[in-house]
Amino acid sequence: MTVIASNSAALRAQNGSRLANDALNTAMARLSSGNRINSAADDAAGLAISNSMTSQINGMNQAISNANNGISLAQTADGALSEVTNNLQRIRELAVQSASGTYSDDDRANMQTEVTELQKQIADAMKTQFNGVNLFSTSDQAINIQTGADATDQVALKITGLDMSAVTGTVATGTAAAGLGTALAAGDSRIGTDHVITAEDVAYGAQFTGSGSSPAAVDSSAIGSTVTLKAGDQMYEAATTAGTVTGGVDISTAAGATAALDTLDQAIASVNTTRASLGAGESRLNSVVNSLTNNVTNLTDAKSRISDADFSVETTNLAKAQILNQAATAMLAQANQSQQGVLKLLQ
């Protein structure tokens, strides 16, 4: 039947051209972006899975960075304790030297001078921080490292408590003005030593037990005399600056040096325990990094198979769509031309 009111061939050619054009646009979008899924319409389920994997991959990459920071923290703490160990070993060496009867009091005083400086350095090491986080405390502490994409993925980097006060004593952190010192408490290393009363003692109201049962104030007549210090005595103390050490290991006498050996052995053992806890945590974090790196690699491969464009396939689809688009355009022209034959019937 010959008709001119409708042209089914042209409609079919138009539809074929539309489909070919859609396929051409899809292939070009995938080739230009490198992604198989450029919108939810391309693959709704695949898009959801791909986004979920992206969240996991991004979280794991950050977790790797977190774990590496945790390793750096552990290494910083261990480095500080390595130097503390060196200082403790040197103090112990000096204590063994001082305990020998072949040295004079002057020799021991010189040894104590070095010990005092090492005590200050140990006290400074105990203040070590990592990005503002205090690393050492007298009690156990745990620093939580986020090592995964989920809230529960955490590793607690444990640092056992470390108290060096038995070795270092109290290290002054500020400047104290000259004046009357506090009463000597039991155990103070100055108890039992001789003290020559000075004019400053009299001026500031120093009190000494002497031969009595309780401390009593001294007057100017006592200037130059010697007293043996006892618990409760108070004397003039010159201005002190940061770093002044009171208490702790004292090897200025043979007896003190001998007593210091046990204290130093305990301190070295404590440092070893803390370093062991840091080493264990560092080893675990290294394992976490290895595991996360493998997971990121595998998840990235899986995501690629879902969302990345296969260029060999898409270039084939592009060529096919171009040919179909050109053919549909040609057929549309032929369909529109086919009705011109009706004119001949009217001649």
Side-chain angles (χ1 to χ4, degrees), residues 301-316:
D301 285 344
K303 177 180 176 292
S304 176
R305 286 189 287 270
I306 294 173
S307 63
D308 289 350
D310 186 335
F311 271 64
S312 61
V313 172
E314 296 306 331
T315 51
T316 300

Side-chain angles (χ1 to χ4, degrees), residues 2 337-347:
T2 303
Q337 187 67 29
S338 65
Q339 292 186 336
Q340 297 296 319
V342 175
L343 294 176
K344 294 182 180 181
L345 297 176
L346 298 176
Q347 293 177 351

Side-chain angles (χ1 to χ4, degrees), residues 56-136:
Q56 287 182 294
I57 291 169
N58 291 342
M60 287 182 179
N61 281 328
Q62 183 57 53
I64 290 173
S65 178
N66 293 347
N68 282 324
N69 287 337
I71 291 171
S72 297
L73 184 150
Q75 290 173 339
T76 299
D78 186 60
L81 293 183
S82 175
E83 192 58 30
V84 169
T85 299
N86 292 338
N87 291 335
L88 289 173
Q89 294 286 13
R90 176 55 180 163
I91 293 174
R92 192 181 192 286
E93 180 181 355
L94 290 169
V96 172
Q97 183 179 8
S98 178
S100 177
T102 59
Y103 296 96
S104 68
D105 290 342
D106 287 341
D107 293 332
R108 293 188 179 93
N110 292 332
M111 296 175 197
Q112 181 60 35
T113 298
E114 181 178 352
V115 168
T116 298
E117 293 305 312
L118 294 174
Q119 287 172 321
K120 296 175 186 177
Q121 187 57 38
I122 292 173
D124 287 342
M126 291 298 98
K127 302 173 186 175
T128 301
Q129 295 183 337
F130 182 87
N131 195 32
V133 177
N134 292 321
L135 299 183
F136 304 119

Side-chain angles (χ1 to χ4, degrees), residues 40-253:
D42 292 335
D43 185 349
L47 178 66
I49 296 172
S50 175
N51 284 339
S52 177
M53 288 184 172
T54 298
S55 295
Q56 287 182 294
I57 291 169
N58 291 342
M60 287 182 179
N61 281 328
Q62 183 57 53
I64 290 173
S65 178
N66 293 347
N68 282 324
N69 287 337
I71 291 171
S72 297
L73 184 150
Q75 290 173 339
T76 299
D78 186 60
L81 293 183
S82 175
E83 192 58 30
V84 169
T85 299
N86 292 338
N87 291 335
L88 289 173
Q89 294 286 13
R90 176 55 180 163
I91 293 174
R92 192 181 192 286
E93 180 181 355
L94 290 169
V96 172
Q97 183 179 8
S98 178
S100 177
T102 59
Y103 296 96
S104 68
D105 290 342
D106 287 341
D107 293 332
R108 293 188 179 93
N110 292 332
M111 296 175 197
Q112 181 60 35
T113 298
E114 181 178 352
V115 168
T116 298
E117 293 305 312
L118 294 174
Q119 287 172 321
K120 296 175 186 177
Q121 187 57 38
I122 292 173
D124 287 342
M126 291 298 98
K127 302 173 186 175
T128 301
Q129 295 183 337
F130 182 87
N131 195 32
V133 177
N134 292 321
L135 299 183
F136 304 119
S137 171
T138 55
S139 58
D140 294 353
Q141 61 176 324
I143 299 174
N144 292 325
I145 310 296
Q146 185 67 33
T147 56
D150 298 326
T152 56
D153 295 334
Q154 289 189 337
V155 169
L157 182 60
K158 296 180 180 179
I159 305 178
T160 59
L162 194 59
D163 186 356
M164 290 285 103
S165 61
V167 173
T168 62
T170 301
V171 181
T173 57
T175 301
L180 188 63
T182 58
L184 299 182
D188 193 299
S189 60
R190 291 172 291 179
I191 293 175
T193 62
D194 291 337
H195 173 75
V196 178
I197 297 175
T198 64
E200 288 80 9
D201 286 328
V202 175
Y204 284 91
Q207 299 185 58
F208 300 97
T209 303
S211 59
S213 59
S214 60
V218 293
D219 56 31
S220 58
S221 63
I223 295 175
S225 60
T226 301
V227 295
T228 301
L229 296 177
K230 299 179 180 179
D233 287 355
Q234 288 180 281
M235 72 195 84
Y236 166 81
E237 292 183 0
T240 58
T241 58
T244 300
V245 178
T246 57
V249 168
D250 185 350
I251 65 168
S252 59
T253 64

